[in-house]
Amino acid sequence: MRFYKLEVARVEPPPKITSVTPTEGATFYESGSIIISSTLSSTGSSPLEYQFSIDGIIKQAWSAQANYTWAATACSHKIKTEVRNISGQDGKEAEIYVFRKPIPPPQ
């Protein structure tokens, strides 16, 4: 008689980003903090890791931290959020605009 060991792997969907905050075309003034995050669906039960990039430069490498706070400089910026779990990953981009605060007129 032979015995076999059967292992069952649990399959879960990869995470799916449904939206990014701030949204495409959002505007801000510089010297304020901007919190970058994403809304997910299909996350399953395995741990999630997030990565945040600004203008193609990774600002927060893969970690469990679900958002990133950024002190932006005046310009248009391309932000990217990515999320992954054991089954795969997803990413989404948004272009935002950061302006210098207007100087108030003399009194």
Side-chain angles (χ1 to χ4, degrees):
M1 179 188 252
R2 287 190 160 173
F3 292 95
Y4 295 93
K5 181 179 179 181
L6 177 64
E7 292 186 25
V8 178
R10 181 175 43 135
V11 178
E12 59 183 54
K16 179 74 178 153
I17 297 175
T18 55
S19 65
V20 174
T21 301
T23 58
E24 178 76 26
T27 58
F28 299 90
Y29 287 120
E30 71 178 344
S31 77
S33 293
I34 299 171
I35 298 173
I36 302 169
S37 64
S38 52
T39 303
L40 310 175
S41 65
S42 305
T43 60
S45 62
S46 68
L48 296 172
E49 291 186 317
Y50 302 83
Q51 179 168 272
F52 299 95
S53 302
I54 300 169
D55 299 326
I57 299 168
I58 295 172
K59 297 294 186 174
Q60 177 181 295
W62 292 108
S63 79
Q65 181 66 36
N67 56 48
Y68 175 73
T69 302
W70 174 49
T73 55
C75 194
S76 66
H77 296 282
K78 188 75 85 170
I79 59 171
K80 182 176 184 180
T81 64
E82 297 174 89
V83 63
R84 70 180 179 187
N85 68 8
I86 197 166
S87 299
Q89 73 182 57
D90 190 24
K92 212 172 214 23
E93 292 185 344
E95 187 165 7
I96 64 168
Y97 304 95
V98 180
F99 299 100
R100 288 194 171 108
K101 282 190 175 183
I103 299 171
Q107 303 253 345

